[in-house]
Amino acid sequence: MPKTSARLLALLSLLQTRRDWPGMLLAERLGISLRTVRRDVDRLRELGYPINAVKGPDGGYRLGAGTELPPLLFDDEQAVALTVALQIAATTPGNGTGEAAARALHTVRQVMPSRLRHRVNALQVTAVERPRGPAAAAGVDGEVLLAVSAAVHAREVLRFGYGAGPDRPPRRAEPHHVVTWDGRWYVVAWDLDQAGWRTFRADRMALRTPNGPRFAPRELPGGDVATFVTGVFRGSPDGSGRWPCRGTVILDRPAAEVARYTRDGIVEALDDGRCRLTDGSWSWPSLAAAFARLAARFAGIASAG
């Protein structure tokens, strides 16, 4: 590769790794003069890369967003991560982007260097979902996700029909987060009509336009979206993320063996091949069933509450 071309690729790669680059630091990293940096930046601009000048004592450059998508550079680790992400998106049912992800994966593989393409082609990842009924297989439109995400970013009230009944008045909610849980997309929002936090299935939302007024963000119960959503689906009304019913038992089984059969429980090894298991569930009968299905003799019940 000619020296100038190699230098341009190195410059572009550096510009992609951080927001702002002082000109002198770029010159130092590339081993060239500040004047050469300016010339190379001009060459990249001619190729369509939107590189903006940054004002300041030292000056500098920033890779901005343009009207077209110019060629991008990825190192080996980034290329592998992108391939894995696209494979998961392409094989996950109901995400609304499967076909586009498959086409993007094909494009990325075509432009990879042969040394990396052979490694990536050997990497086959398939997202396997838990079996569900036919009604759970409904996908969500990618345009809905984009529209809801834009409302979250702009802090604008969403107006939408929800579920059955096209003649029903639209719901109004302040959207705060778009999340995925167990293969479905949800919108975490403050329901203005019910005056409370809700999680709405995105595939059941029929958006109305225009959006409503802007709103000031509210504090989410539990402190963060992951804790709140976990609590919602565990039946915890306070958003703490904890199961409503929790208990601890001591089992006459090794900890490594019990850990293979519990999903959310905490397993601690004890003496003599025993272990302590702390787990939770929706109700006391279901918690008792969860302990009983391990088919282990109980050495004692440490606590419950």
Side-chain angles (χ1 to χ4, degrees):
M1 180 182 292
K3 183 177 181 181
T4 301
S5 300
R7 193 174 65 241
L8 290 177
L9 291 176
L11 173 58
L12 180 58
S13 179
L14 287 175
L15 289 171
Q16 292 178 165
T17 60
R18 56 185 282 180
R19 179 174 175 81
D20 296 329
W21 275 95
M24 289 301 299
L25 182 56
L26 282 174
E28 179 182 341
R29 290 289 295 271
L30 296 171
I32 57 179
S33 67
L34 184 58
R35 181 178 178 182
T36 303
V37 170
R38 296 193 189 101
R39 287 202 307 263
D40 288 349
V41 166
D42 288 338
R43 291 190 180 100
L44 288 176
R45 286 169 175 163
E46 292 173 357
L47 294 173
Y49 293 95
I51 301 175
N52 305 318
V54 178
K55 296 180 180 180
D58 300 326
Y61 301 96
R62 175 186 303 163
L63 184 62
T67 58
E68 297 180 350
L69 184 65
L72 302 176
L73 289 179
F74 299 102
D75 60 29
D76 288 7
E77 290 183 350
Q78 290 173 322
V80 171
L82 180 61
T83 301
V84 171
L86 288 173
Q87 283 197 33
I88 293 174
T91 59
T92 299
N95 66 9
T97 60
E99 182 181 351
R103 288 189 283 109
L105 180 60
H106 179 70
T107 301
V108 169
R109 280 174 166 162
Q110 279 190 317
V111 298
M112 282 183 177
S114 58
R115 59 175 176 78
L116 188 57
R117 188 186 308 117
H118 294 316
R119 294 179 58 198
V120 167
N121 284 341
L123 177 63
Q124 298 294 328
V125 179
T126 301
V128 178
E129 295 291 304
R130 290 192 303 168
R132 299 187 182 92
V140 58
D141 189 345
E143 291 298 323
V144 171
L145 294 179
L146 290 176
V148 173
S149 298
V152 171
H153 181 75
R155 295 176 182 172
E156 294 177 345
V157 172
L158 279 176
R159 300 169 57 250
F160 55 95
Y162 194 66
D167 297 331
R168 297 178 61 183
R171 305 286 292 269
R172 301 176 306 124
E174 299 173 353
H176 284 256
H177 298 276
V178 178
V179 301
T180 61
W181 177 274
D182 203 17
R184 291 196 182 106
W185 292 87
Y186 295 88
V187 180
V188 177
W190 176 266
D191 190 331
L192 291 170
D193 300 313
Q194 301 295 327
W197 288 99
R198 286 286 309 275
T199 53
F200 295 99
R201 283 263 301 268
D203 58 295
R204 295 179 177 175
M205 299 173 69
L207 300 181
R208 309 284 181 89
T209 56
N211 291 338
R214 292 174 61 87
F215 62 88
R218 303 171 187 265
E219 184 177 354
L220 197 64
D224 63 83
V225 65
T227 301
F228 172 76
V229 172
T230 300
V232 167
F233 288 100
R234 286 181 171 179
S236 177
D238 59 359
S240 65
R242 293 172 26 176
W243 289 108
C245 303
R246 288 170 54 85
T248 301
V249 296
I250 297 175
L251 304 174
D252 278 337
R253 287 284 181 88
E257 182 179 334
V258 172
R260 294 199 300 266
Y261 300 101
T262 178
R263 180 176 180 181
D264 298 316
I266 300 174
V267 184
E268 304 170 81
L270 301 176
D271 296 335
D272 303 325
R274 300 180 305 158
C275 70
R276 180 187 293 112
L277 170 63
T278 301
D279 208 346
S281 188
W282 295 83
S283 64
W284 294 114
S286 64
L287 178 60
F291 287 144
R293 71 182 180 85
L294 295 171
R297 189 171 69 86
F298 285 22
I301 299 178
S303 64

